[in-house]
Amino acid sequence: PVSADGSHLMSIRDAMGSLFAALLRELKLWLYREGMLETGLPLPPGGSHGGMDLSQVEALQRSTLHVSSSQLGLPLAVEGSVDGETGIGNSVNAVALSCATGVKMTEAQLELLESALRMEEAQYQKRGTTPGSSNTTTTRSGPLMGDWLRVPHSPLSGDSLSFHLPLHRALAKSVRTLCSVVVPESVRNENPKSWWKLPVLDEEYNNSKSADHTSLRQHPLVALIRPTLRSSNCRVVWSAGPECSKDEAQKRRSRAKNVSAAIAAGKIIHTIADHPIRCIAAAQQIERHLWARNGSSTAGMALNYSSAPLCRSFRDLDLTLVQLSASGLSIGLGARRVFALLISRFSMDGYLCDPERRVQGNSSSPPPFGSGMWVNPPRLQDPDHAVALSESFFSTLCVLVTELPHAPPVSPSDDISLKSIIKRELLHALAAEPRSHSEAMEAASSAVSRRDESSSSAGSSGGAGVFREAFAEVLRQIGSQKNLGSSRAASGPAAFELKAEYCNEYDPTFFHLRRQEHQHAMDYVARLRRQKTGNKEESEAKCLPVVCGPPKAHPRFLPSRLLLHLQPMDAAIRRYLLFALTGGSWLPPAEPAAPPQDASGDDEQGESSGVTTGHMIPGGGVGASSAIPVTTFSRRSFHRSGSSSSTFRKSSFNDGDAQAPFSASVVSASSVSILEVLQLLTLQVHTLEECASLHRTQADLDDEAKSLSASLSINSYLRRLIHVPESMLGVWALRPFPHGPLPSKGSGENRGSTLGLLIALYENRADHG
């Protein structure tokens, strides 16, 4: 029963907190491969810890811990030196330890890790302490060891993968269930900054000083994980040998356990985002036929994972954990780290970032303006894979920042959130195709739990289910019965179609429609928009947004939308717009060399200046010895020019093999789709005000999220749009006409920026209208 004063929340939060704690402990055991009988995996001959072939364990984190003195701002260690502030002897400058199922380190390495943890916690305490406050302060911090843990994984390169993550999805389902519990208005008014927090997961750092100066101030997850630690999780080789007094032995065990718990907590925080992202990325790759050789069984797994209704128990729950981690606080990696993890798992490192130049020679002086060779992106098995992966990466980001858990109701009779969920689901189902009443109800049920479908509300008239009442109201609002005419189909059940006035709420990346259904929906929505606007002249005079604003979300998940406003996100958008502008080249095209007058003289000049003579291939750069092949892309097929089988074929001096130099005609012929990029840019505008106020409305955000939120404004966003990265300054292909190849009705300045690239595409693309 729901109480008006919110007393029912206490028992619910206590119970869910115990469930969260149990799941986090099980995650630790799963990561360290302890108690493997519970996982269903066979025990190795040597037992749980001995004789294990790590390559045979599919979900194992091949993790390594990297910490260095320079990374932490510490002075270089000298053998035998002692830090006067901490009293710890520093004899190593860097730590690189394997910590897959346990870690073994020397005492000097342990000391460096302890110093790093103390420094991290001191920084958090300094930010959380206000003048005039007591010595005991409580403050929010970021993740433990957030930038120290590295976990390489790439299924495209042969690493094993499993879609079976029962512990992760049980945690996600529990989080979503708690977020849907009724929270009365009185509770929200009494605790405006904490009513939305999750028990256990959002516990705060306790920065009160301990009597033992050697102990570490603990991340909230450390105390939870400590009872599950084993001596094999962290082994230390002590410089004085194993023999010691009883007090010294106790101190050694305490130090090793503190660091062991911190490493385990860092691994848990990392896996909450990492393993779900692996599944999401793999499903996208399989859907785009990058795993074709694995047969139909793999395609069937990806289909069940991503398609309704089963996606509610798989992909949707994985998305929830990624959103939880991107929101930061103490259990999440934060927006920046989650973005970097997404780039890595989609194999987009070196592709979706600003182009880089390699400085020639070993000179320590800065390179001349605009000089240096372009750095080629990493090689993939097939260069066409980069296009498919980048599109799936952007579409996944659109879903992550849009489909957040909704805010909880304020009373049992409050069905506003339920109607909003049903409306969004039903609108896209009707946009894909007309549906009968039963088909429409089945589609709408994909957005709600079975409890919402079957439960009855005491406040409803006649005891009818809340879901059925809300569905009927939404269907009348956005749907109209289709006129079947006098055809044979008129004898079938009545079909409903979407009303024209709601077509602007269609989302091109809505996650419960398959790609084929989106194709039909786009055609139908375009027809409805023409019908809505009337004549052709009026239609061309209006500019409709690619997507409407995202739905209102639960306050706990709002910080995940900071993903849209990261500097790496702006760089990824710029790089893909450059790819579209050049017709499928990941590097800026080179300036065509002047016709040779003297062959020998030109050869010498080309060698000395690093510029390849002859007609340059789009994708080549100044001094580039290899170039990305020209790739054009449409939603149905890939086309790569050239007959060379090499991923990065060398620039050819043959006139027959040479491509036409970069010009407006190359841009006009480009077929690279930028729909997802345009949607991300639109979502940046929609969420700017909301994200800019997070540092005021959510005081417990970690410092990195607060800093990003406080820096957002209309002026800062406009500066981001016209920012040109240093590597793109002076590039010939982006210079204003007549010094560059692309004419413009404007000045053509800042063409290397996001806005400049968009204008160039609009002015020169044949399909912009």
Side-chain angles (χ1 to χ4, degrees), residues 2 10 31 36 45 66 72 124 136 240 436 461 491 575 595 648 667 740 753 755 758 761:
V2 178
M10 297 297 296
L31 286 172
M36 294 185 67
H66 296 261
L72 300 168
Y124 295 144
T136 301
S436 64
S461 59
S491 60
R575 185 66 174 271
F648 298 101
V667 182
S753 64
L755 186 58
L758 285 171
L761 284 167

Side-chain angles (χ1 to χ4, degrees), residues 399-635:
V399 173
L400 280 174
V401 299
T402 302
E403 307 297 340
L404 301 179
H406 284 67
V410 297
S411 66
S413 59
D414 179 16
D415 59 355
I416 296 178
S417 294
L418 179 61
K419 288 180 181 178
S420 175
I421 297 171
I422 294 175
K423 179 182 178 182
R424 183 167 176 82
E425 196 75 37
L426 186 57
L427 184 146
H428 289 86
L430 296 180
E433 61 177 347
R435 299 180 184 253
S436 64
H437 188 277
S438 58
E439 291 172 339
M441 178 172 287
E442 182 181 359
S445 65
S446 298
V448 297
S449 64
R450 296 184 181 90
R451 183 188 65 180
D452 293 328
E453 296 179 49
S454 58
S455 63
S456 299
S457 173
S460 303
S461 59
V466 176
F467 171 76
R468 291 182 177 274
E469 289 184 356
F471 167 78
E473 182 178 343
V474 172
L475 183 60
R476 289 192 299 268
Q477 177 187 1
I478 68 173
S480 60
Q481 189 168 337
K482 185 178 181 181
N483 184 12
L484 300 178
S486 57
S487 62
R488 180 179 298 181
S491 60
F496 294 84
E497 58 184 1
L498 183 65
K499 293 181 180 179
E501 53 263 36
Y502 293 97
C503 65
N504 290 341
E505 297 183 30
Y506 167 73
D507 187 341
T509 59
F510 183 68
F511 66 152
H512 284 165
L513 291 185
R514 294 191 296 271
R515 298 182 72 203
Q516 296 84 352
E517 293 174 319
H518 271 297
Q519 290 289 348
H520 296 292
M522 289 179 187
D523 296 337
Y524 181 63
V525 168
R527 186 164 64 250
L528 289 181
R529 286 183 171 182
R530 288 193 296 268
Q531 173 186 338
K532 180 181 177 180
T533 54
N535 55 45
K536 183 178 180 180
E537 291 76 11
E538 184 180 355
S539 176
E540 293 179 350
K542 291 185 177 180
C543 181
L544 300 175
V546 176
V547 65
C548 62
K552 293 183 179 180
H554 195 284
R556 174 61 178 82
F557 292 86
L558 284 179
S560 64
R561 287 178 176 163
L562 291 173
L563 282 167
L564 292 167
H565 301 282
L566 296 168
Q567 290 184 1
M569 169 66 80
D570 295 338
I573 290 175
R574 277 193 303 266
R575 185 66 174 271
Y576 197 76
L577 290 176
L578 175 67
F579 178 80
L581 184 74
T582 57
S585 172
W586 291 104
L587 297 176
E591 182 177 3
Q597 297 180 356
D598 180 54
S600 60
D602 284 350
D603 288 343
E604 293 174 0
Q605 182 180 359
E607 291 177 3
S608 62
S609 62
V611 179
T612 306
T613 59
H615 294 289
M616 296 302 297
I617 298 172
V622 178
S625 61
S626 59
I628 305 297
V630 180
T631 307
T632 57
F633 172 69
S634 65
R635 288 189 176 273

Side-chain angles (χ1 to χ4, degrees), residues 16 57 115 137 197 209 249 284 313 341 604 632 643 651:
M16 295 303 294
V57 183
S115 299
T137 61
K197 292 182 180 179
K209 290 190 176 182
Q284 294 277 1
S313 301
L341 200 55
E604 293 174 0
T632 57
S643 57
S651 304

